[in-house]
């Protein structure tokens, strides 16, 4: 099991802070908390895995906190989910412009928040964990830094989505990943894609990397569960 993910909650409403903390802790996360913007910036230096950031705070507001988090080299890659009662589209756009990864509008269900957290964490992991080394899987050679793929010495041209799927499978080698997991990690917010499309991408990927795509040895199907990259 992975080490617990650490999440910083920045929220000045005590009851809401308690509620979110409760749900995160029972879902297996470690929680840090801040109730104003400056404290949030200070604690974000400890590099939590994700920040849940309320917009209406006393002192520095969430917009400014988000801007400063993105400006600081130590914290610029930490995923941020903005939390607010401001539901207008222009506010969402402002959040994304400032580098927020997702946006949750109050009132929200804890379940919705948890789903978004999981999705943002998966996506962040997939972005950052490509290793700077050559990985061999069967007759495949994957250069983790450039993410170029060679099969029996020949470079294989992959689309961005195929690379994303392969990277996610590689980062979770030997683990069965469901359609939903793949959707969250590779498509993230733009997941207006039907489950069937994932099968199509996997089929294309197999045609490019498997000796016999009809009987795949690298990306195998686990019936009713998903796919995995064999160790
Ligand atoms: Ca607030």
């Amino acid at each position: 099991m992975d080490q617990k993910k650490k999440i910083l909650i920045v929220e000045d409403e005590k009851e809401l802070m308690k509620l979110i903390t409760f749900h995160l802790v029972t879902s297996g996360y470690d929680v840090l908390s801040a109730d104003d913007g400056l404290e949030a910036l200070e604690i974000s230096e400890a590099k939590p895995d994700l920040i849940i950031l309320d917009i209406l705070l006393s002192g520095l507001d969430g917009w400014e906190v988000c801007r400063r988090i993105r400006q600081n080299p130590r914290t610029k890659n930490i995923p941020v989910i903005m939390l607010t009662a401001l539901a207008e589209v222009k506010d969402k756009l402002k959040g994304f412009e400032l580098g927020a990864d997702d946006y949750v509008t109050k009132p929200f269900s804890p379940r919705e928040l948890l789903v978004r957290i999981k999705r943002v964490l998966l996506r962040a992991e997939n972005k950052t964990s490509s290793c700077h080394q050559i990985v061999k899987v069967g007759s495949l050679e994957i250069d983790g830094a450039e993410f170029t793929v060679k099969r029996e010495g020949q470079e294989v041209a992959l689309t961005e989505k195929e690379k994303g799927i392969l990277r996610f499978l590689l980062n979770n080698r030997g683990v069965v990943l469901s359609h939903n997991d793949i959707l969250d990690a590779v498509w993230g917010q733009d997941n207006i894609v039907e489950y069937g499309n994932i099968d199509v991408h996997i089929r294309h990927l197999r045609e490019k990397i498997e000796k016999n795509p009809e009987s795949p040895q690298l990306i195998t199907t686990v019936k009713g569960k998903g796919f995995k990259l064999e160790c």
Side-chain angles (χ1 to χ4, degrees):
M1 193 63 196
D2 285 350
Q3 229 191 333
K4 278 187 177 182
K5 298 278 186 197
K6 209 183 299 161
I7 298 184
L8 168 60
I9 309 171
V10 187
E11 171 60 73
D12 58 355
E13 288 165 55
K14 288 201 166 47
E15 287 308 308
L16 193 54
M17 170 73 91
K18 260 197 227 161
L19 180 80
I20 299 174
T21 303
F22 171 79
H23 284 283
L24 292 190
V25 169
T26 50
S27 300
Y29 296 108
D30 272 341
V31 171
L32 300 169
S33 59
D35 58 13
D36 70 51
L38 283 176
E39 196 186 5
L41 288 173
E42 217 168 275
I43 298 178
S44 67
E45 292 267 335
K47 292 186 123 190
D49 295 288
L50 183 140
I51 300 173
I52 296 171
L53 179 58
D54 187 28
I55 291 178
L56 297 178
L57 297 166
S58 57
L60 292 183
D61 66 12
W63 305 125
E64 187 54 30
V65 174
C66 187
R67 197 194 323 267
R68 294 194 191 183
I69 284 171
R70 287 292 171 259
Q71 276 169 355
N72 179 344
R74 276 185 64 76
T75 58
K76 66 177 186 186
N77 292 321
I78 302 174
V80 173
I81 297 179
M82 302 289 260
L83 200 63
T84 185
L86 307 171
E88 289 102 37
V89 173
K90 67 173 171 32
D91 290 315
K92 290 196 184 184
L93 292 178
K94 187 172 173 187
F96 289 134
E97 271 165 28
L98 289 176
D101 295 83
D102 205 352
Y103 204 105
V104 178
T105 306
K106 294 176 186 174
F108 56 87
S109 73
R111 199 183 131 69
E112 181 195 356
L113 182 63
L114 287 169
V115 166
R116 286 178 186 266
I117 288 171
K118 191 182 161 204
R119 179 189 291 175
V120 170
L121 284 174
L122 274 175
R123 207 167 355 131
E125 214 164 78
N126 206 34
K127 255 192 229 158
T128 55
S129 60
S130 52
C131 39
H132 292 261
Q133 58 183 30
I134 309 280
V135 183
K136 289 195 175 187
V137 187
S139 59
L140 281 191
E141 257 187 37
I142 303 169
D143 179 331
E146 303 283 325
F147 216 81
T148 49
V149 177
K150 285 184 181 167
R151 195 186 141 214
E152 286 160 3
Q154 297 284 337
E155 190 161 335
V156 183
L158 299 179
T159 65
E160 283 309 305
K161 290 293 184 244
E162 288 162 359
K163 278 186 191 175
I165 294 172
L166 187 57
R167 182 181 289 135
F168 185 49
L169 288 165
L170 184 67
N171 288 340
N172 296 283
R173 219 165 146 180
V175 177
V176 183
L177 300 168
S178 71
H179 284 71
N180 258 332
D181 293 335
I182 296 173
L183 210 55
D184 285 348
V186 180
W187 273 263
Q189 276 158 340
D190 328 310
N191 64 4
I192 313 163
V193 60
E194 286 172 31
Y195 281 13
N197 285 1
I198 295 203
D199 293 311
V200 174
H201 285 289
I202 296 270
R203 199 178 71 227
H204 290 162
L205 199 49
R206 281 172 171 159
E207 282 164 3
K208 292 177 181 179
I209 66 172
E210 297 276 356
K211 265 205 182 93
N212 177 6
E214 299 305 315
S215 164
Q217 303 295 308
L218 301 174
I219 301 176
T220 53
T221 301
V222 181
K223 233 181 160 174
K225 292 195 170 150
F227 306 97
K228 74 171 173 179
L229 187 67
E230 293 296 331
C231 295

